[in-house]
Amino acid sequence: MSTHHTPARSTLPVAGEDHARLTIDLSALFDNWRAMARRSGAARTAAVMKADAYGIGLEPAAKTFHQAGARDFFVATPAEGAALRTLLPDVRIYVLSGMWAGSERLFFEFDLVPVIVSEEQLVTFMAAISDGGDLPCVLHVDTGMSRLGLRVEDALALAGDVARPASFSPIMLLSHLACADDPSHPLNRQQLQRFRTAIEAFDGIDATLANSAGIFLGEDYHFTLTRPGIALYGGAAVNDVPNPMKPVVTAEARILQVREAKAGESVSYGASMVFTRDTRIAVAAVGYADGYMRSLSGSGVPLRTANIAGARGVLHGRTVPLIGRVTMDLTHFDVTDLPPGSVRAGDFIELFGRHMPIQDVARAGGTIDYELLTGLGRRYERRYEAVKK
């Protein structure tokens, strides 16, 4: 497998300066999309590309998904859609935040499909196409998330409105599952039934409901198009079951110093950890400025009252615990139990990835995989492992 580096830019480290690095396995990304496409059965399978492709980089992710077979893509904003269009001229790009006054030009110029999320946006869209502009749209129906979208009863009224302009003919209905990561939650079936009601009112229109977790709920939820996100990037979509997806991102940090501390001494801010034994500390060049969150310190963070264990890293094939508080640029790990001399300055410790599941690290920080990925800072050197031919 070949490896290539991103071009050096003023906002990114260059090769040789890497205090922290991300290795992004594009073969795993490719395989994860194919796996979700298989699970989607007869439905087409999109790829969700929000937030710079969940933090891994828009361009390499877009080209990998396209190579795998994706022809439908979802982004959060029209600016994200415009950036994606410059990379993929032959795909359909849906903008989840919809169209608002002032954004119309981007939709026409870059051939983007707005997902209409409110009555106000519907007015904006109708005004935008009133001059004969040809632009499809998707209608978002809120079936239980209480976030974006028309309420089901409002969508039904719109479908039955004889005064509805003939020019308003959405190509698809969209809704979003609130609890799909908990397959037994009763809201899943309730949302499914409400969505079916809306679809019937629009006379057999195409439909999309299933996110990553929704795909795992089964065929009833797949409809015309599925839209996986976190699962593509190696994250765990469903709670409390083994994650079947391949890890895509491996995050590592350089050890800057290995130092000794005596029993009774403490480490990092607040002296939240006082050693009960002589301890060998590896100081790693990563911190919350890099998205390695302070909450990964576990119960050493003063706002937390529960006795929560912090994160762990992997060094020379062994897991080692994070100790003390994560700081802006530095994090400390206890390497006392590794053989003396085996850990040296310049070694890299895995924070999450191939040997340390990202969902385990997220759980230690009281968060989810999504936040870890999308919060990755700009100081990492990014290395992309190309798709195997």
Side-chain angles (χ1 to χ4, degrees):
M1 177 182 290
S2 62
T3 300
H4 64 277
H5 298 264
T6 51
R9 297 187 295 174
S10 60
T11 54
L12 290 175
V14 297
E17 290 184 353
D18 51 324
H19 278 196
R21 66 192 183 196
L22 301 176
T23 302
I24 297 154
D25 184 350
L26 296 179
S27 282
L29 196 70
F30 182 102
D31 291 344
N32 285 345
W33 187 87
R34 286 283 180 90
M36 296 306 281
R38 288 193 296 271
R39 286 182 180 272
S40 297
R44 301 194 320 274
T45 304
V48 179
M49 303 290 290
K50 300 183 295 181
D52 198 29
Y54 284 57
I56 76 165
L58 182 70
E59 181 174 355
K63 291 180 176 179
T64 299
F65 291 138
H66 190 267
Q67 182 181 354
R71 295 297 180 267
D72 297 272
F73 292 80
F74 285 84
V75 296
T77 69
E80 289 182 343
L84 181 58
R85 175 61 72 201
T86 64
L87 300 170
L88 300 178
D90 63 335
V91 302
R92 177 159 272 176
I93 301 172
Y94 306 89
V95 179
L96 290 164
S97 59
M99 175 187 287
W100 55 90
S103 70
E104 301 95 334
R105 177 187 61 82
L106 285 172
F107 287 89
F108 287 99
E109 182 176 346
F110 292 96
D111 188 22
L112 309 176
V113 180
V115 178
I116 304 301
V117 305
S118 67
E119 297 282 1
E120 294 85 353
Q121 287 200 1
L122 181 56
V123 171
T124 300
F125 176 78
M126 293 306 302
I129 64 173
S130 62
D131 294 331
D134 183 16
L135 188 70
C137 75
V138 172
L139 185 64
H140 189 150
V141 180
D142 175 25
T143 56
M145 186 79 161
S146 295
R147 195 171 63 172
L148 295 177
L150 274 65
R151 296 181 66 87
V152 171
E153 54 266 33
D154 294 332
L156 296 179
L158 180 64
D161 185 358
V162 295
R164 184 182 71 180
S167 56
F168 178 69
S169 181
I171 61 172
M172 186 161 60
L173 293 188
L174 176 148
S175 194
H176 193 66
L177 294 163
C179 302
D181 55 354
D182 178 2
S184 64
H185 200 290
L187 186 55
N188 293 325
R189 299 300 300 184
Q190 292 170 19
Q191 287 193 259
L192 177 62
Q193 186 53 52
R194 293 168 188 163
F195 194 49
R196 284 173 171 164
T197 300
I199 293 169
E200 290 168 2
F202 280 86
D203 193 22
I205 191 172
D206 283 352
T208 177
L209 176 64
N211 54 5
S212 290
I215 293 171
F216 286 95
L217 290 176
E219 184 179 358
D220 285 350
Y221 292 81
H222 293 168
F223 293 98
T224 312
L225 178 69
T226 63
R227 47 180 206 277
I230 189 63
L232 302 179
Y233 303 96
V238 183
N239 298 334
D240 303 321
V241 298
N243 181 9
M245 311 313 296
K246 294 182 178 180
V248 172
V249 181
T250 297
E252 300 170 289
R254 186 185 296 275
I255 303 299
L256 297 181
Q257 184 183 18
V258 181
R259 60 182 303 123
E260 306 286 339
K262 299 293 185 182
E265 294 179 342
S266 61
V267 62
S268 197
Y269 289 118
S272 61
M273 169 168 279
V274 177
F275 297 119
T276 59
R277 63 173 181 172
D278 291 350
T279 301
R280 194 160 64 254
I281 306 166
V283 184
V286 69
Y288 54 76
D290 306 292
Y292 197 66
M293 300 171 300
R294 190 169 179 264
S295 62
L296 292 167
S297 311
S299 53
V301 175
L303 293 178
R304 303 177 77 163
T305 57
N307 185 21
I308 300 172
R312 301 177 70 84
V314 176
L315 191 58
H316 299 316
R318 298 271 297 276
T319 61
V320 294
L322 189 159
I323 53 177
R325 292 182 190 164
V326 175
T327 67
M328 183 181 291
D329 312 303
L330 301 170
T331 300
H332 314 78
F333 293 88
D334 184 346
V335 296
T336 310
D337 294 332
L338 272 62
S342 63
V343 181
R344 299 176 182 273
D347 289 349
F348 277 83
I349 183 169
E350 182 180 315
L351 308 172
F352 60 81
R354 289 170 176 158
H355 306 100
M356 176 57 62
I358 188 173
Q359 62 266 24
D360 292 353
V361 178
R363 191 177 302 115
T367 187
I368 54 177
D369 317 21
Y370 304 72
E371 187 173 12
L372 273 180
L373 285 176
T374 59
L376 292 171
R378 299 188 61 80
R379 298 193 294 191
Y380 295 92
E381 182 187 10
R382 292 166 183 259
R383 304 176 175 199
Y384 291 91
E385 295 182 339
V387 176
K388 294 177 182 177
K389 300 296 184 182

